[in-house]
Amino acid sequence: MIKENISLKPYNTFGIDAKARFFISIDSVEKLKTILSLEQFKSAKKLFIGGGSNLLLLNDFDGLVIKIEISGIDKVTENENGVILKAGAGVIWHDFVMYCVDNRFYGVENLSLIPGTVGAAPMQNIGAYGVEIKDVFESLEALNTSTLEVETFNLEKCRFGYRESIFKHEAKDKYVILNVSFNLQKKGNLNLEYGAIKDTLSQMQISNPTLKEVCEAVISIRKSKLPDPAKIGNSGSFFKNPEIPITRFEKLKEKYPNAPSYPVNENLVKVPAGWLIEQAGWKGHREGNVGVHTKQALVLVNYGGGTGSEIKALAEKIQKSVFEKYGIEINPEVNFIG
Ligand code: EPU
């Protein structure tokens, strides 16, 4: 059923109270095709949403918002080493992770508790604690919104990068992801390289962790640093960590010997934007209804009643201040709508 003039507040984790002119939830590709074929909406602006966890609504949306609620997790193939699972785009990402952990399928445990849906996950190649969705990705099916044909995207075709995919570029607004297939292992290796995981496991006094224990450690780290969107509006990391030449980082180190970094390749390193923002004095800063999270400076928050424009204005001030201090540009990870 199509609703009119509804608030999108429950549908975006920032909790921005923008309105949609039209809104519909769909749970099948057939329904999606029907909606997209309606004469009334042929030329309307459209916004496809999953969990609404990576968008910033700047204005009311004068078009049709389509919430994808295609459900289901199916086994495509299985052998003694592993399994391929196909999950509907509307499955809550963390529910999918828990399904895998409960069935002892290895591969996505480090991605526990990331907000959002399965269908949104490939868009920005979600990642955490040394794992990205591309590492377990098999393929996905997406509806071409012009031809209404279902097309398959393999790993190569998705062009995954750090918080990047073809769906943020050439394929933007041209496809709707319907389902995603993942390649998971039965005798997988746990990825415990990331310092915070090691530290948390040792605090839990666990030296030889199980799949479930790694999942619990990740949940505990995320809960300690990242605000729960049900309590404080946010969309996780607001900015991407900038990648800069190693030579430039060496210069930065002369001035800031404690500056952290992660290697990207032989020429580039990634500098945690959270560190840059904190050192520039923004951590915990509040401006009216919006601010910078007290425990992780990479996360912007809406304390309630904040608007998309207020968040954007704060983000721009932070970008400017970081650039003035270090000469480093930081760019949003979140999609601005409107
Ligand atoms: N740091 C600070 N101050 C802060 C935040 C971080 O100094 O306020 C420093 C930390 O001390 C640490 C470093 O920055 O040395 C990295 O911090 P953290 O481990 O929290 O990770 P991050 O680089 O800030 C990225 C992802 C997160 C993901 C974590 C863990 C991006 C944009 N963000 O954050 O992803 O959970 O690594 O792997 O790459 C998300 O995308 O929404 C997200 C939460």
Side-chain angles (χ1 to χ4, degrees):
M1 201 197 51
I2 296 173
K3 295 178 187 162
E4 289 192 46
N5 297 316
I6 69 148
S7 168
L8 290 170
K9 196 170 170 201
Y11 303 108
N12 72 100
T13 60
F14 250 127
I16 305 289
D17 193 9
K19 283 199 173 56
R21 177 73 188 86
F22 298 101
F23 178 94
I24 188 162
S25 294
I26 64 97
D27 58 9
S28 72
V29 60
E30 290 73 28
K31 284 187 193 154
L32 180 57
K33 282 187 188 173
T34 308
I35 287 293
L36 294 177
S37 316
L38 290 179
E39 206 49 52
Q40 183 190 1
F41 296 119
K42 277 245 163 90
S43 57
K45 256 188 11 173
K46 293 178 195 75
L47 172 64
F48 299 97
I49 60 170
S53 59
N54 201 41
L55 44 95
L56 182 65
L57 297 162
L58 297 175
N59 304 106
D60 289 343
F61 190 78
D62 189 19
L64 173 64
V65 175
I66 304 177
K67 180 163 167 28
I68 307 296
E69 291 191 334
I70 300 170
S71 61
I73 300 177
D74 299 311
K75 222 172 252 180
V76 180
T77 59
E78 180 170 17
N79 62 31
E80 76 263 32
N81 298 320
V83 61
I84 292 179
L85 294 181
K86 185 198 242 186
V91 172
I92 304 295
W93 173 260
H94 184 64
D95 292 349
F96 175 70
V97 172
M98 292 316 292
Y99 177 92
C100 295
V101 170
D102 290 343
N103 287 282
R104 303 229 193 94
F105 300 144
Y106 291 68
V108 286
E109 56 283 356
N110 290 26
L111 306 178
S112 298
L113 214 63
I114 294 186
T117 56
V118 164
M123 309 266 301
Q124 54 153 349
N125 182 24
I126 59 168
Y129 312 110
V131 176
E132 289 180 334
I133 199 180
K134 74 166 171 39
D135 304 327
V136 286
F137 182 86
E138 176 68 21
S139 64
L140 64 79
E141 287 184 313
L143 185 75
N144 181 321
T145 53
S146 316
T147 63
L148 299 190
E149 297 287 329
V150 175
E151 296 180 26
T152 301
F153 286 71
N154 63 14
L155 183 70
E156 195 179 272
K157 207 169 157 192
C158 288
R159 292 216 232 114
F160 290 124
Y162 167 55
R163 296 297 193 276
E164 287 290 356
S165 78
I166 194 168
F167 301 101
K168 276 186 150 184
H169 300 281
E170 294 95 304
K172 192 173 179 195
D173 299 328
K174 294 188 181 134
Y175 290 90
V176 184
I177 296 173
L178 304 169
N179 59 65
V180 186
S181 293
F182 300 92
N183 202 331
L184 303 155
Q185 305 304 313
K186 288 188 181 169
K187 297 170 200 147
N189 294 319
L190 294 165
N191 183 334
L192 309 175
E193 283 313 299
Y194 202 89
I197 295 195
K198 276 189 201 151
D199 298 347
T200 306
L201 287 167
S202 81
Q203 273 162 28
M204 291 159 85
Q205 299 187 324
I206 294 167
S207 50
N208 202 2
T210 62
L211 181 59
K212 182 107 189 144
E213 284 165 342
V214 173
C215 167
E216 281 163 4
V218 171
I219 291 175
S220 137
I221 301 166
R222 291 188 75 93
K223 280 194 172 158
S224 72
K225 280 195 189 171
L226 300 168
D228 177 357
K231 295 185 186 130
I232 303 177
N234 77 91
S235 74
S237 301
F238 192 89
F239 299 101
K240 292 202 280 187
N241 289 331
E243 295 178 342
I244 62 167
I246 291 176
T247 45
R248 234 170 106 206
F249 182 68
E250 300 295 332
K251 285 240 164 69
L252 187 77
K253 272 276 215 200
E254 285 169 17
K255 217 166 159 193
Y256 306 97
N258 298 329
S261 69
Y262 308 114
V264 174
N265 56 36
E266 64 227 21
N267 303 316
L268 296 174
V269 291
K270 216 184 262 180
V271 184
W275 184 87
L276 297 168
I277 297 168
E278 178 174 349
Q279 298 302 310
W282 290 97
K283 196 171 186 171
H285 174 89
R286 181 167 177 165
E287 286 191 9
N289 296 320
V290 303
V292 179
H293 188 48
T294 48
K295 293 183 195 150
Q296 166 47 296
L298 197 50
V299 178
L300 301 191
V301 294
N302 173 13
Y303 287 104
T307 64
S309 310
E310 284 174 287
I311 298 270
K312 183 170 176 249
L314 174 61
E316 284 168 355
K317 279 192 200 172
I318 294 171
Q319 281 173 300
K320 191 163 174 274
S321 136
V322 165
F323 188 76
E324 279 167 2
K325 190 169 165 81
Y326 314 97
I328 295 176
E329 217 179 283
I330 54 170
N331 291 306
E333 178 194 285
V334 170
N335 293 316
F336 291 17
I337 309 292

